[in-house]
Amino acid sequence: MSQTRKNNSSEGETKPQTLFVNKFLRGSKAESREEKNDLQTTDSQAGDWIQKAATSDAAKPLSSETELRSSVEENEQFLQKLGEKDVDKCLDLNNCGLTTADLKEMGEALEMIPELEELNLSWNSKVGGNLPLILQKLQKGSKIQILELVDCALTSEDGAFLGQVLPVLQSLEVLDLSMNRDIGGSLNSIAQGLKSTSNLKVLKLHSCGLSQTSVKILDAAFRYLSELRKLDLSCNKDLGGGFEDSLAQVVMLKHLEVLDLHQCSLTADDVMSLTQVIPLLSNLQELDLSANKNMGSSSENLLSRLRFLPALKSLVINNCALESETFTALAEASVHLSALEVFSLSWNKCVGGNLKLLLETLKLSTSLQVLRLSSCSLVTEDVALLASVIQTGHLAKLRKLDLSYNDSICDAGWTMLCQKVQFLKELIELDVSLRPSNFRGCGRWFRHLLCAVTKLPQITEIGMKRWILPASQEEELEWFGQDRKRSIRFDHGGFQE
């Protein structure tokens, strides 16, 4: 801001601030009509409050510690009315429909908020092409720790500008640029800027139009990001083939806890490179390799070496076209993952008829909370085995069980499961839905399920899509819903007439 601007009248100086804060207030989400009315009242007071404060400040400087304390208290009271975090430290304007004029005013306002730590402008499409208007006034020593720009229609030019700004953000810990598909072309600039953000802990580049060369570009920056905890490169389908011999610096990420590479079109050579790197990330807690179908025949060594990740809590390998050998390798390795809380193998058909390979894992996974086996071609014998494991108490911590889209299981199998599910005392969600193309009538197992539910204190959701209930069971279900003191949602396919 120029000296001339600083010397302008208090009214002229505070107008952008007033409009900006009013916009912020309009973006706040009221949870009730009463809150909305309070917000509107606060909105109308906001401009008066800021203008009054600014006019007072312009008229005379605070001359005593008492006046300073009074001003701070007045500011805190005002912010409490908003029901938001301290506006001096956090601006959450996601999905607010910001206009270009708003963004220009915001750029001016940010210069007046030197203590700002969090800035979220996600889902505002006008940010795209206008990022310099917002961030150009940031000064060296900025205290911003979290910068979220998800789905902002950022251009390649915005990405290049961001790369120039990043060295100013020495305190940055979280950077989320997800769903900006045009910034892949400016990744060189962004990666160069990342080399100056040594405190970065979270980097999200989900669906950012990254290409094969992007992996090597990012790898060069990883050596400077030793504090990184979470790396999300998911849904960049053109990354496939880029991991070959381009992960030399990933091993420097000693503190990495979350790695998301789902839907990246990984090739067999990519998997070979990852086999050399992933097992060395000893602090890794969450790994998602889903929707990489080339893994099916090439990931045996990688999955086998997961046993060297003792801290792993979440393993998601949905829709990877696993074959018998790769599934066997995974089953043998999973026995060593004693900390596992989330295990998702959905849409891998080879699991069907082979769930017995996971028997020891299911027995030893005392921390398992989520088990997803949707569309795995499970057969009655698989469900019988699962029911046996449940009965013996080995899955006592399980909270979510997804067995949907396994239409080959006969009524006898569902009966065995429903008779034993009562032992899952912490279960909150159960899904046994049928495929969209299949409708079936419920057998006697449904009564066993209702009986089990009465013994499950935390259950809230039972997915039964496309299961048709007889009219007699409609009355039973209605009675059950009225009798229970808590809400349980049965999502079923309707009733026979």
Side-chain angles (χ1 to χ4, degrees):
M1 183 179 293
S2 67
Q3 189 64 36
T4 304
R5 176 67 181 265
K6 289 182 180 179
N7 291 333
N8 280 346
S9 66
S10 60
E11 181 179 358
E13 181 177 352
T14 60
K15 183 177 180 181
Q17 279 186 293
T18 304
L19 293 177
F20 172 64
V21 173
N22 284 344
K23 184 68 179 182
F24 170 57
L25 290 172
R26 289 198 297 272
S28 300
K29 300 176 179 61
E31 295 182 357
S32 67
R33 183 178 298 274
E34 180 178 354
E35 289 177 342
K36 185 175 181 180
N37 291 336
D38 290 344
L39 192 61
Q40 290 172 344
T41 301
T42 306
D43 194 348
S44 65
Q45 294 172 342
D48 293 338
W49 182 88
I50 293 179
Q51 189 166 353
K52 178 180 178 182
T55 303
S56 175
D57 290 346
K60 61 174 182 177
L62 292 176
S63 58
S64 69
E65 184 177 346
T66 302
E67 288 177 312
L68 177 61
R69 187 181 300 112
S70 175
S71 177
V72 171
E73 290 175 353
E74 185 177 1
N75 185 29
E76 290 177 348
Q77 290 172 1
F78 170 69
L79 295 172
Q80 287 173 1
K81 291 180 182 179
L82 304 184
E84 300 287 344
K85 291 182 181 180
D86 188 341
V87 74
D88 285 339
K89 294 186 176 182
C90 174
L91 282 180
D92 187 351
L93 298 171
N94 79 83
N95 198 25
C96 284
L98 298 176
T99 66
T100 302
D102 294 327
L103 299 175
K104 184 176 181 181
E105 292 162 6
M106 186 190 314
E108 298 291 341
L110 289 182
E111 189 179 21
M112 305 172 190
I113 314 176
E115 300 297 317
L116 189 65
E117 295 179 355
E118 301 179 28
L119 178 59
N120 188 350
L121 302 178
S122 299
W123 298 290
N124 287 288
S125 60
K126 292 296 184 180
V127 172
N130 290 306
L131 196 62
L133 288 177
I134 307 166
L135 302 182
Q136 63 184 350
K137 296 295 183 68
L138 291 181
Q139 301 296 321
K140 187 173 183 179
S142 167
K143 296 184 179 181
I144 291 181
Q145 298 176 15
I146 300 176
L147 179 59
E148 296 175 285
L149 299 170
V150 179
D151 198 9
C152 284
L154 297 183
T155 65
S156 181
E157 290 74 16
D158 289 326
F161 173 78
L162 181 62
Q164 298 171 13
V165 170
L166 285 173
V168 174
L169 308 180
Q170 296 288 311
S171 299
L172 194 64
E173 295 184 1
V174 177
L175 177 61
D176 192 348
L177 302 176
S178 297
M179 300 176 68
N180 290 288
R181 295 173 178 80
D182 293 328
I183 65 171
S186 55
L187 190 63
N188 268 310
S189 178
I190 295 174
Q192 190 65 31
L194 286 174
K195 294 178 181 180
S196 301
T197 59
S198 59
N199 292 313
L200 196 68
K201 292 181 172 60
V202 177
L203 177 60
K204 296 183 179 182
L205 297 173
H206 165 89
S207 190
C208 281
L210 303 186
S211 63
Q212 287 186 355
T213 58
S214 300
V215 182
K216 179 171 284 189
I217 293 171
L218 287 171
D219 190 60
F222 288 153
R223 62 179 298 184
Y224 301 93
L225 303 178
S226 60
E227 296 299 316
L228 199 65
R229 302 297 199 271
K230 181 171 184 176
L231 177 61
D232 184 356
L233 301 179
S234 61
C235 294
N236 287 287
K237 296 182 180 181
D238 292 332
L239 276 181
F243 292 89
E244 304 170 23
D245 303 321
S246 298
L247 294 173
Q249 302 302 325
V250 173
V251 294
M252 304 294 291
L253 305 178
K254 299 294 185 181
H255 300 290
L256 194 67
E257 297 176 353
V258 180
L259 178 59
D260 192 344
L261 297 176
H262 84 264
Q263 204 169 348
C264 285
S265 302
L266 298 179
T267 66
D269 288 333
D270 289 331
V271 174
M272 186 178 298
S273 294
L274 291 169
T275 300
Q276 306 302 317
V277 174
I278 289 180
L280 300 178
L281 304 175
S282 58
N283 287 307
L284 200 64
Q285 297 181 16
E286 300 180 22
L287 177 62
D288 191 343
L289 299 172
S290 297
N292 289 292
K293 294 189 177 182
N294 288 327
M295 285 187 56
S297 58
S298 62
S299 60
E300 183 176 350
N301 290 334
L302 171 60
L303 298 179
S304 178
R305 298 187 68 187
L306 293 181
R307 68 185 66 205
F308 299 117
L309 300 176
L312 199 63
K313 294 182 179 181
S314 176
L315 180 57
V316 183
I317 312 184
N318 300 328
N319 198 20
C320 283
L322 296 183
E323 298 180 355
S324 177
E325 294 78 9
T326 49
F327 179 58
T328 299
L330 173 61
E332 293 174 352
S334 63
V335 174
H336 303 277
L337 304 178
S338 57
L340 207 59
E341 296 178 359
V342 177
F343 198 12
S344 187
L345 295 172
S346 295
W347 300 92
N348 287 292
K349 307 302 182 183
C350 68
V351 179
N354 292 305
L355 194 63
K356 56 183 179 290
L357 296 177
L358 291 176
L359 179 59
E360 289 303 312
T361 298
L362 296 177
K363 286 183 176 180
L364 296 174
S365 299
T366 56
S367 300
L368 196 63
Q369 298 180 22
V370 178
L371 179 60
R372 300 194 185 280
L373 300 171
S374 175
S375 194
C376 283
S377 297
L378 298 182
V379 296
T380 299
E381 290 74 12
D382 295 322
V383 178
L385 181 142
L386 185 59
S388 175
V389 173
I390 291 173
Q391 183 179 18
T392 54
H394 293 297
L395 295 175
K397 297 293 184 181
L398 202 63
R399 296 178 63 79
K400 297 181 180 181
L401 177 59
D402 185 356
L403 302 175
S404 61
Y405 296 6
N406 287 291
D407 296 5
S408 298
I409 301 171
C410 68
D411 283 356
W414 291 123
T415 297
M416 284 185 280
L417 176 71
C418 292
Q419 287 176 332
K420 307 305 180 185
V421 76
Q422 61 179 299
F423 295 103
L424 301 177
K425 299 301 182 183
E426 297 189 19
L427 194 68
I428 60 175
E429 291 182 16
L430 172 65
D431 197 341
V432 296
S433 297
L434 297 172
R435 292 178 179 278
S437 60
N438 192 10
F439 285 79
R440 279 166 57 183
C442 280
R444 295 181 179 179
W445 60 266
F446 182 65
R447 291 191 177 184
H448 292 293
L449 178 59
L450 285 182
C451 181
V453 168
T454 63
K455 301 175 183 178
L456 298 176
Q458 299 189 45
I459 193 78
T460 60
E461 182 86 16
I462 297 180
M464 297 180 59
K465 290 184 176 70
R466 290 166 288 281
W467 283 105
I468 307 299
L469 306 181
S472 59
Q473 291 179 326
E474 178 179 6
E475 296 178 1
E476 189 173 357
L477 187 58
E478 289 179 354
W479 173 86
F480 178 85
Q482 295 171 359
D483 183 65
R484 302 295 291 172
K485 294 182 180 179
R486 54 197 173 88
S487 175
I488 302 177
R489 181 171 179 263
F490 286 84
D491 187 5
H492 56 81
F495 300 95
Q496 295 177 351
E497 296 181 359

